[in-house]
Amino acid sequence: MSQMPQPTALSRCPSCEEPLESGDRYCGACGYDLSVVPAPPADTPTLTMNSTAPHPRSEADSVDWPAAPPSGGPGVPAPVHLPTDIQGTDSGGSQLPAASTAKDVSRGVRFDRPSEPDDYHLAAPQPVDPRTAVPATPPSGTKVCVACRAGNVDDDGYCENCGHAQPRERDHVEQELGAVAAVSDRGLRHHRNEDAFAVSSTALPDGSPAVVAIVCDGVSSATRPDEASLAAARAANEELLDALPRGTHPQQAMHEAIVTASHAVNALATEPETAQEHTPHQNAPACTLVGAVVTSSLLVVGWVGDSRAYWIPVDRSAPPARLTEDDSWAAQMVAAGLMSEAEAYADERAHAITGWLGADAYELEPHTASFKPDRPGVVVVCTDGLWNYAEAAEEMAEVVPPGAELRPLHTAQVLVGHALDGGGHDNVTVAVLPFPAPPQGAGSA
């Protein structure tokens, strides 16, 4: 069965390009048999993933494929071309070396990348985090804030950057000179440390050692109590270091040292800053004082006010003792027989002092006492910031750690810690002197 010729769907004659009409079987111009022309395939465009037909290719997009080489003969398969056999072109149309094309392409190298410069521009530095940055070394003599570690401290003691108040140098002070040590602390309630101390050692005319400790407590109700205590401690210490090597008896030297300290405190009241005629509402600077001198055979104490000295023997089976008597309202009541000691110190007026160093003191009465202990021990010289938490001699002996005569600084630290643990309501200052005084050059263990 033969196939019937089908009407052509051509628009032009394949022979003469004459326009055709639908249903023509022959060209009206040249008579070409249109039935021999195969019908065109149905137009089914390829859709992209977004279901839109691709743009028609332009002549510029056409590829001139090379003709396939003839086969190698019957039974010989067509040659297989590997990527290394094909010459590549770069983005400009230039031929690429065949040997390097596949090698470099397989490594993901792009040959259309522009040439790179030999030098690279560095990115702008990022700001430094001040929390992790190492602070620069400040100029010599400049104080840096302990809070932010960035700002400088002004003359008033405040940070110029964050405004934080800086700890004062006297808030906590420690000093050790072999056979004597002292610690002073501001405490937990006061805004500054109004205590002061001085420790030193010297030699008597016979070459034997003499160790000195002076502890002063500024009177808070007076003007500039911190300056008063510091002036008194320094003046008394200097007087003792001058008098003892000259052969002055230690008890007499202590008396003179207290008088000298009183003059130093009185001088503060005559300065224009606190002179009474300029500032009549201010009290004169004032403080208390207690001191001790320890030699190879003698123990001397001196005091004015309510700071104290205690004797703690190394042999704890021997009784301890308080070596001073307070210049206070409570002590006067007990001495007059008007109250028992328990009643007097329970009164709210107990710590009102009746003797002090200062221009407005009623009358200076230095107290001194001399002892010749028959056994080794330690002398604890302290302000009421400590003895308020260990008032009786037995209580103080319980707080003093064993081996205190070998470690005076450690002992002073323990005693200050006891006061702070008890509440630290006042400034705390403690000096510890082993007895007898060790030979010159011998230090604590």
Side-chain angles (χ1 to χ4, degrees):
M1 181 181 294
S2 64
Q3 184 179 4
M4 293 294 294
Q6 299 295 322
T8 181
L10 298 176
S11 60
R12 292 180 180 273
C13 175
S15 177
C16 66
E17 294 294 319
E18 181 71 11
L20 301 175
E21 294 180 1
S22 178
D24 287 345
R25 295 185 179 181
Y26 298 93
C27 177
C30 67
Y32 187 86
D33 187 0
L34 300 177
S35 62
V36 299
V37 179
D43 184 16
T44 306
T46 302
L47 299 180
T48 61
M49 292 297 294
N50 58 5
S51 302
T52 59
H55 296 288
R57 299 180 60 90
S58 63
E59 295 181 0
D61 296 331
S62 62
V63 179
D64 186 14
W65 295 104
S71 62
V76 179
V80 177
H81 294 279
L82 302 176
T84 53
D85 300 330
I86 303 174
Q87 289 284 99
T89 60
D90 60 17
S91 60
S94 302
Q95 293 288 333
L96 293 174
S100 64
T101 301
K103 174 183 177 182
D104 292 334
V105 170
S106 65
R107 294 186 179 181
V109 178
R110 293 185 57 181
F111 291 93
D112 58 346
R113 178 179 299 170
S115 60
E116 298 178 346
D118 294 333
D119 298 327
Y120 294 89
H121 296 287
L122 298 178
Q126 297 296 319
V128 179
D129 188 342
R131 297 168 297 178
T132 59
V134 178
T137 303
S140 177
T142 302
K143 294 182 179 179
V144 178
C145 176
V146 300
C148 68
R149 304 299 302 168
N152 295 331
V153 179
D154 60 21
D155 295 337
D156 295 329
Y158 292 87
C159 175
E160 296 175 347
N161 179 51
C162 68
H164 191 90
Q166 305 301 296
R168 299 174 177 87
E169 294 181 0
R170 288 173 61 179
D171 281 358
H172 186 88
V173 184
E174 298 186 1
Q175 187 176 2
E176 182 180 26
L177 294 176
V180 59
V183 176
S184 182
D185 192 272
R186 181 176 58 122
L188 305 179
R189 302 295 181 89
H190 281 230
H191 70 285
R192 65 180 175 184
N193 190 359
E194 297 170 356
D195 289 356
F197 70 81
V199 294
S200 59
S201 61
T202 186
L204 301 177
D206 62 358
S208 61
V211 181
V212 175
I214 302 293
V215 170
C216 297
D217 184 356
V219 178
S220 297
S221 59
T223 301
R224 297 157 64 196
D226 53 331
E227 296 183 31
S229 62
L230 184 61
R234 288 176 174 175
N237 183 66
E238 291 173 1
E239 178 65 27
L240 286 167
L241 291 181
D242 179 64
L244 292 173
R246 289 190 285 106
T248 305
H249 189 278
Q251 189 169 359
Q252 178 63 31
M254 178 62 73
H255 179 93
E256 295 175 357
I258 295 175
V259 173
T260 301
S262 176
H263 294 332
V265 178
N266 293 348
L268 296 177
T270 62
E271 296 179 1
E273 191 174 346
T274 56
Q276 292 295 313
E277 61 268 24
H278 297 294
T279 53
H281 62 281
Q282 292 182 340
N283 297 327
C287 69
T288 67
L289 181 149
V290 62
V293 175
V294 172
T295 69
S296 57
S297 59
L298 192 66
L299 164 60
V300 173
V301 295
W303 73 96
V304 174
D306 62 348
S307 294
R308 296 180 176 180
Y310 291 84
W311 164 255
I312 311 296
V314 172
D315 180 5
R316 296 303 173 90
S317 63
R322 196 177 89 193
L323 306 178
T324 58
E325 293 292 337
D326 298 343
D327 287 324
S328 68
W329 180 90
Q332 283 189 346
M333 293 298 103
V334 174
L338 300 176
M339 288 185 177
S340 67
E341 186 170 356
E343 293 173 338
Y345 280 98
D347 193 283
E348 61 181 6
R349 297 166 290 180
H351 290 280
I353 58 175
T354 58
W356 62 88
L357 304 182
D360 59 355
Y362 300 117
E363 183 179 356
L364 177 64
E365 295 183 5
H367 308 288
T368 61
S370 180
F371 306 90
K372 289 187 177 181
D374 59 354
R375 66 196 66 199
V378 293
V379 182
V380 176
V381 182
C382 64
T383 62
D384 61 345
L386 170 62
W387 67 252
N388 278 330
Y389 300 99
E391 185 173 342
E394 293 76 15
E395 295 175 326
M396 186 65 70
E398 291 178 0
V399 179
V400 173
E405 73 282 2
L406 302 176
R407 298 187 296 172
L409 178 58
H410 170 73
T411 302
Q413 292 169 338
V414 169
L415 295 175
V416 170
H418 174 74
L420 297 180
D421 291 342
H425 288 73
D426 200 355
N427 306 145
V428 189
T429 302
V430 183
V432 178
L433 304 87
F435 176 89
Q440 289 289 328
S444 59

